[in-house]
Amino acid sequence: MSERIRTAIRVEGVVQGVGFRPFVYSLATNLGLAGLVGNDVDGVFAEVEGDAGAVGAFLAQLEQQAPPLARIQRVTTSPLAPTGADGFVIAASLPGGQRRTLVPADSATCADCLRELADPADRRYRYPFINCTNCGPRFTIVLDVPYDRPLTTMRGFAMCAACAAEYHNPADRRFHAQPVCCPACGPRLALTDAEGVPLPGADPVASAGALLRAGQVLAVKGLGGYHLAVAAGNETAAAALRARKHREDKPFAIMVPDLAAARSLCDVDDTALRLLTSPGRPIVLLPRRPAADGMIARAVAPGNRQLGLMLPYTPLHHLLVDAAAGPIVATSGNVSDEPIAYRDADALTRLAGIADAFLLHDRPIHIRTDDSVVRASSGRESVVRRSRGYVPEALLVSPPLPRPVLACGAELKNTFCLAESTRAVVSHHIGDLENAETLHSFTEGIGHFRRLLDIEPELVAHDLHPDYLSTKYAVELAGVDLIGVQHHHAHIASCLADNGESGPVIGVAFDGTGYGTDGTIWGGEFLVADLAGFERAGWLAPVPLPGGTAAIRQPWRMAASYLAEAYAGGPPTRLGVRHRHERHWAAVVAMAERGLNSPLTSSAGRLFDAVAALLGIRDEINYEGQAAIELEQFASLRERGAYLATVVAAPASGPDGPGGGAGDGRSAGPAAAAELIATAGQRPAGGPPIIVSGADLVRSVAEDLLAGVAAPTIAARFHYGVAAAIMTVCRQLRDRTGLEVVALSGGVFQNLLLTDRVTTGLTDAGFRVLLHSRVPCNDGGISLGQAVVAGARDRLRRAGLPDSS
């Protein structure tokens, strides 16, 4: 027998509210160890005493067998003098000090609870709010910390004797499960009409299922807000929902009852399987199978090669999908462009014109949280929208931040980020900061996270665009230091942080819009960057944006602009390319030539828009990125040819390239540009800027179109031409800098056709490629990038060095 030892243990991460203390209790007891376990502001503390071999086994199994919802970030140990004590106890929680433990994310119903849900002999049979320490609501019901029932929206539901006995029993899987409840003491369902008047029927779920089968639109209160649901196979119902919601084209998500149903609709590989069945239960975008056409209404995902599928993640969803007897549409409960409804009174008001009936309950939702969206491709996960089931899980960053940081994010797909030391917490999806309701959600969310995380920011990072509401919010804060971060530098920094790296790298940031340090609209950027600063090494040749934001909504304007560039300003109509807006092209080109409300842009997103319009795919958009998304969907998967774009090194005409006016048509001017460069961490160029001619690609598209080449073939050749240009620039920058790591970021890299081609090509050329996996490559990841840039530049400042050293 080995010597008797005693060890103090500290466990940090998501270790409260996930059954960690009863897990430790059982583990120690089974190994014959004495000691204690408890919660405090830092996480879980424990002491174990006994045979040295048993203590070693305990430490190994502590991490290997942790509860499903636990996310251990660090385990530290220190020796203590043995006392000879016997027995193991769960100690009282220790108050006081700065809170560092994390609130867990909401989690899908576990297998144990599902078995009870389906067991007629169980007291929670068909109870739609069944949960335990391994599953159920967490983040969406938390009012404050510590995570105890009185500080959740379950505080209004007093536990019955049976639930209380489970709650206080360390051997029970509901030990200290804060949402624990049953039909005798917990929340209850109600089915009402659009006026909130209860509908007849003893079983609200069964009645709701009957409404769905009859083609009605149902508003369903879930974990983080309301869904709008219809039977996914009912064409009339799906079309009615689309019309009432004013959502002309954007695909709806589908909730399927099980994996067999998912496989009948889509190709499900191992990565997709893992994502579909993960505790976060995101919407997973998957290639649709031909058989889906006979099972899913055309109005659900018109013209889309993919379907967004998710499995039920609450007991209510399981019961409802079963009652509906098939897959259901489960889309966000809102009118398009509005935030999702999550408060009952607001839902009844805003959704009354959309839903025929409401399936609601009396457990309040504290924080509005949309469903997360992910993609599976080539064995990897990429996050499109990071929200329910993922938030507020922290991301570890390195090196540590010198001071607490609040990063305010971008204008579109907004998230914010609170970071301290090595921990960064990116918020749930807020949405587009374009109305008062979303701005309120943004400011309210920041306050909530500051309380939960006990972080008081001293440094606030924001976008350079002066008119963004997130920037205005930052500027109005008192008692903090501000750091402006250039949009595309934030994209690349976000990719670096996502991969646990600090650079330098060759960064390719392709998106729709970002405010440049010269006051123009950037979006097709090649950077040489690390966390602290960047060099703008190359970009897509700028073209006019005729009509400003009107050209974003109407891609045909970009087609006219690019054709004018491609054919030396000649009238686009001489090409013979037929287009329903052709009669307006000459006026639009004249506007651009005069510089009238036509700021220059290097945006890759606008280049994709131009080609989509030329091919007749999309002249006007109903949601952001629609033209580019549909262009990808339209492209042939058999074609392998690529167009050629000229890539040249050219002298810059200004601080970092051609000028041409801010996003609202105003020029920043040399003095303002110099100030932005100085404060944004931009470094002098290490050589002539490398310019890529998007007009060459558009000319090739037009010539093939005139030659009668099939449009899907043209779309594929364009994608591969963009990929070839990216690879050419990266090779030239490697020759110049010696860098062999490339980071890809920006919303354009949500395009799998492009990203797979670029990644494969760069890898074959000897590069190491960094892609996003934990935060979105779109603007939803900007806040993480802003946070780590602010930390890196703050570190330099505190060392007495310039920001961009």
Side-chain angles (χ1 to χ4, degrees), residues 283-302:
I283 298 167
V284 184
L285 304 180
L286 297 170
R288 72 189 290 165
R289 301 185 62 175
D293 295 342
M295 294 184 279
I296 300 299
R298 290 188 302 276
V300 170

Side-chain angles (χ1 to χ4, degrees), residues 18 23 46 53 84 88 134 146 154 187 209 229 242 248 290 421 436 582 618 670 710 749:
V18 295
F23 158 69
F88 198 90
N134 296 325
M154 286 296 295
R242 193 168 285 286
E248 290 89 345
S421 185
E582 196 174 358
R618 178 60 54 180
F749 288 109

Side-chain angles (χ1 to χ4, degrees), residues 94-168:
L94 298 179
Q98 183 183 9
R99 299 186 291 267
R100 292 185 178 86
T101 189
L102 301 173
V103 173
D106 302 288
S107 181
T109 312
C110 70
D112 289 331
C113 284
L114 286 178
R115 278 192 290 270
E116 294 173 346
L117 184 71
D119 182 1
D122 193 277
R123 70 189 187 93
R124 294 186 175 91
Y125 174 58
R126 294 185 59 81
Y127 182 55
F129 305 99
I130 189 172
N131 68 86
C132 68
T133 53
N134 296 325
C135 68
R138 296 292 190 274
F139 171 66
T140 51
I141 65 169
V142 171
L143 304 173
D144 207 340
V145 288
Y147 174 59
D148 290 322
R149 193 180 184 100
L151 293 177
T152 74
T153 60
M154 286 296 295
R155 63 185 176 180
F157 301 93
M159 283 183 280
C160 65
C163 286
E166 295 169 326
Y167 181 87
H168 292 293

Side-chain angles (χ1 to χ4, degrees), residues 437-509:
E437 181 67 20
T438 312
L439 180 62
H440 176 72
S441 182
F442 169 77
T443 57
E444 184 180 61
I446 290 174
H448 185 55
F449 271 64
R450 286 170 66 170
R451 289 190 301 274
L452 289 185
L453 303 174
D454 202 14
I455 292 178
E456 196 61 38
E458 299 176 19
L459 190 63
V460 176
H462 61 84
D463 194 271
L464 295 183
H465 199 300
D467 294 330
Y468 279 3
L469 294 181
S470 56
T471 301
K472 292 180 178 180
Y473 171 85
V475 171
E476 292 171 1
L477 292 175
V480 296
D481 294 330
L482 299 177
I483 287 188
V485 181
Q486 200 281 321
H487 187 89
H488 301 95
H489 183 209
H491 266 308
I492 300 305
S494 175
C495 187
L496 287 172
D498 198 345
N499 287 274
E501 305 212 8
S502 56
V505 295
I506 297 168
V508 185

Side-chain angles (χ1 to χ4, degrees), residues 173-253:
R173 81 171 198 280
R174 293 190 168 91
F175 175 72
H176 280 210
Q178 304 306 333
V180 65
C181 58
C182 72
C185 64
R188 299 187 179 186
L189 281 179
L191 182 67
T192 77
D193 64 15
E195 302 296 324
V197 177
L199 294 175
D203 184 345
V205 173
S207 299
L211 291 176
L212 289 172
R213 295 195 305 273
Q216 299 292 291
V217 177
L218 184 68
V220 183
K221 186 178 181 181
L223 268 183
Y226 277 78
H227 282 127
L228 290 166
V230 296
N234 188 316
E235 191 68 56
T236 302
L241 175 58
R242 193 168 285 286
R244 296 179 194 179
K245 190 175 161 66
H246 304 300
R247 183 165 169 163
E248 290 89 345
D249 307 291
K250 196 172 185 180
F252 290 141

Side-chain angles (χ1 to χ4, degrees), residues 342-431:
Y342 73 108
R343 293 190 173 109
D344 298 338
D346 178 55
L348 286 165
T349 299
R350 286 204 285 138
L351 305 182
I354 304 175
D356 299 304
F358 287 73
L359 184 61
L360 37 76
H361 57 78
D362 55 353
R363 183 182 69 203
I365 299 169
H366 185 62
I367 286 290
R368 171 195 291 120
T369 311
D370 295 79
D371 292 320
S372 295
V373 182
V374 301
R375 299 182 86 162
S377 175
S378 303
R380 63 179 178 85
E381 170 188 1
S382 60
V383 181
V384 178
R385 183 171 71 201
R386 185 178 182 273
S387 204
R388 178 198 49 77
Y390 288 71
V391 175
E393 184 175 329
L395 305 170
L396 294 180
V397 295
S398 181
L401 307 182
R403 291 188 286 169
V405 176
L406 165 65
C408 295
E411 185 83 344
L412 301 180
K413 296 181 173 64
N414 177 268
T415 63
F416 58 84
C417 177
L418 275 167
E420 184 175 41
S421 185
T422 60
R423 183 181 68 174
V425 179
V426 178
S427 77
H428 53 301
H429 171 78
I430 301 296

Side-chain angles (χ1 to χ4, degrees), residues 1 117 424 567 635:
M1 183 174 179
L117 184 71
Y567 290 90

